[in-house]
Amino acid sequence: MAQQASAIRLIVGLGNPGAEYELTRHNAGFWMADHIAQGFNSAFKLESSFFGEIAKARYLGQPVYILKPATFMNRSGQSVQAVAKFFKIAPEEILIIHDEMDLLPGQVKLKKGGGHAGHNGLRDIDKALGTPNYWRLRLGIGHPRSLNLQQPVVQFVLHRPSQTEMNAIEPVLLSCQTVITPLLEGDIDKANRQLASICKKEA
């Protein structure tokens, strides 16, 4: 039986604001959000009442919101909650796109709910929404130990990926555009098939 879910209405890319963080690993969610907005020919606009930059689009006649919180990562929930409350969007209609150290660069996975695994952005969103019951698109950035680096985790996520890492990440950012459409339709099986195809192609 096909796995159906609520259609995604709010897409949130996680990252830190400011030019000094723009190209760091922790901003992978921002990178993906930019690609999605471009795909909809939509531009981000800073909305102080939403504590972030928001791009608005339509798909199958329904509004879609793409958000980049302007708070720092550990306060991401403030922005997500403000948008969800204003537009009456349920947690299961939210997709959070974030960097994932448990996946190598070039890997990507979709999941709903679960723990935050120490990710401060997810931790704050859980608290703000009062539930972890939202969707996550996990973009692999690797772990310093899996990449044979001696950096502490905090330094690792706040530094730029190597060119080799970016060569693995960038094609995934482009390919993941095809995953967004089925998620906006609530077709989880199709989204997972698309992801499997992306990961196989990039392996």
Side-chain angles (χ1 to χ4, degrees):
M1 182 179 295
Q3 184 183 0
Q4 292 295 125
S6 299
I8 294 297
R9 298 175 57 206
L10 172 60
I11 300 169
V12 184
L14 296 188
N16 285 307
E20 67 268 40
Y21 298 107
E22 186 175 355
L23 300 178
T24 63
R25 295 179 178 94
H26 225 11
N27 276 37
F30 275 11
W31 304 342
M32 186 70 226
D34 286 337
H35 282 294
I36 295 169
Q38 289 168 11
F40 280 110
N41 294 314
S42 182
F44 284 99
K45 179 182 178 182
L46 182 63
E47 298 274 2
S48 59
S49 60
F50 295 145
F51 310 99
E53 297 181 32
I54 193 164
K56 300 176 182 178
R58 298 191 75 82
Y59 181 74
L60 297 179
Q62 299 300 313
V64 178
Y65 306 97
I66 308 159
L67 174 68
K68 295 194 297 184
T71 56
F72 281 92
M73 182 69 81
N74 62 357
R75 293 296 306 278
S76 299
Q78 182 181 26
S79 181
V80 175
Q81 182 190 46
V83 175
K85 182 177 180 180
F86 185 84
F87 293 111
K88 297 180 173 59
I89 298 172
E92 56 269 22
E93 298 172 323
I94 299 174
L95 174 68
I96 305 294
I97 305 175
H98 65 91
D99 57 300
E100 175 60 72
M101 288 194 299
D102 288 341
L103 300 175
L104 290 171
Q107 295 181 329
V108 57
K109 289 188 177 180
L110 177 70
K111 68 177 287 189
K112 183 182 183 184
H116 53 69
H119 193 291
N120 287 331
L122 298 181
R123 188 199 311 270
D124 197 59
I125 292 168
D126 287 359
K127 181 179 178 181
L129 296 180
T131 178
N133 195 35
Y134 50 84
W135 289 92
R136 305 108 186 271
L137 189 63
R138 306 158 63 209
L139 302 175
I141 61 167
H143 189 283
R145 303 303 167 260
S146 66
L147 298 174
N148 296 316
L149 300 173
Q150 299 304 312
Q151 285 175 304
V153 166
V154 173
Q155 291 185 16
F156 175 76
V157 298
L158 294 180
H159 277 73
R160 298 184 181 195
S162 69
Q163 189 58 55
T164 299
E165 293 164 36
M166 280 307 299
N167 289 343
I169 293 170
E170 284 181 332
V172 168
L173 296 177
L174 294 173
S175 298
C176 274
Q177 296 277 40
T178 61
V179 178
I180 299 304
T181 298
L183 289 176
L184 296 177
E185 298 170 357
D187 191 337
I188 302 306
D189 285 343
K190 185 175 180 180
N192 278 319
R193 288 197 301 272
Q194 297 280 27
L195 280 177
S197 175
I198 291 168
C199 291
K200 182 177 180 181
K201 181 173 63 177
E202 301 303 331

